[in-house]
Amino acid sequence: KEQSSIHYGSLENENAEATAEALGTAVTSGNINISTVESETLDFSATAIAEQEKHAEALRLFEAKRKAKSVIVPTDDDEVKLLLRSLGDPICLFGERKGDRRQRLRTLVALKELDADTIEKIQ
């Protein structure tokens, strides 16, 4: 008959040598990677940075278009022109109709709001 015993408490002291030996074997076999050197960070290449900036700009424009749908602008063409002038944009572009002008104002206001939100997030 095998005699079973109950052990109370931690097994760390009894198995410390076996654990250290098993860990050493695992490290030497390549199953566990323990780095003694500080971690190394690699810099992005110039093309990767350019692509990240391009992607960020595309996301910003997408967000502006989404936000532009919810921006309320006046329907009176004279008020639209005054608001465009106050934003420093031309009041009328060649071949632009009233609806186009309102849409341009809506987009400009959304971009301004988005830039203000971005500045608040940074600060």
Side-chain angles (χ1 to χ4, degrees):
K1 284 185 173 181
E2 281 186 40
Q3 190 175 22
S4 62
S5 63
I6 299 175
H7 180 78
Y8 294 100
S10 175
L11 297 175
E12 289 180 14
N13 294 336
E14 291 181 13
N15 295 332
E17 292 176 13
T19 304
E21 183 181 326
L23 183 62
T25 305
V27 168
T28 55
S29 67
N31 295 331
I32 298 178
N33 296 321
I34 298 177
S35 176
T36 57
V37 181
E38 288 187 32
S39 62
E40 181 179 337
T41 57
L42 301 175
D43 294 329
F44 288 120
S45 66
T47 55
I49 292 172
E51 286 298 317
Q52 281 185 337
E53 290 171 357
K54 184 179 172 183
H55 180 68
E57 181 65 22
L59 286 177
R60 190 176 79 80
L61 289 175
F62 179 74
E63 184 69 22
K65 287 180 183 178
R66 186 188 64 77
K67 201 169 217 176
K69 291 179 182 177
S70 65
V71 172
I72 299 171
V73 293
T75 55
D76 183 30
D77 193 44
D78 292 332
E79 289 180 34
V80 171
K81 287 179 182 178
L82 285 173
L83 287 173
L84 284 170
R85 185 173 289 140
S86 69
L87 290 173
D89 230 44
I91 60 170
C92 186
L93 297 176
F94 181 75
E96 187 177 51
R97 295 176 292 169
K98 293 179 182 182
D100 300 332
R101 212 174 353 264
R102 284 188 71 228
Q103 184 60 39
R104 185 164 53 97
L105 175 63
R106 183 176 283 133
T107 304
L108 286 171
V109 170
L111 281 172
K112 293 266 186 198
E113 287 179 5
L114 191 64
D115 288 341
D117 290 345
T118 305
I119 290 171
E120 287 178 8
K121 286 179 185 176
I122 291 172
Q123 294 174 349

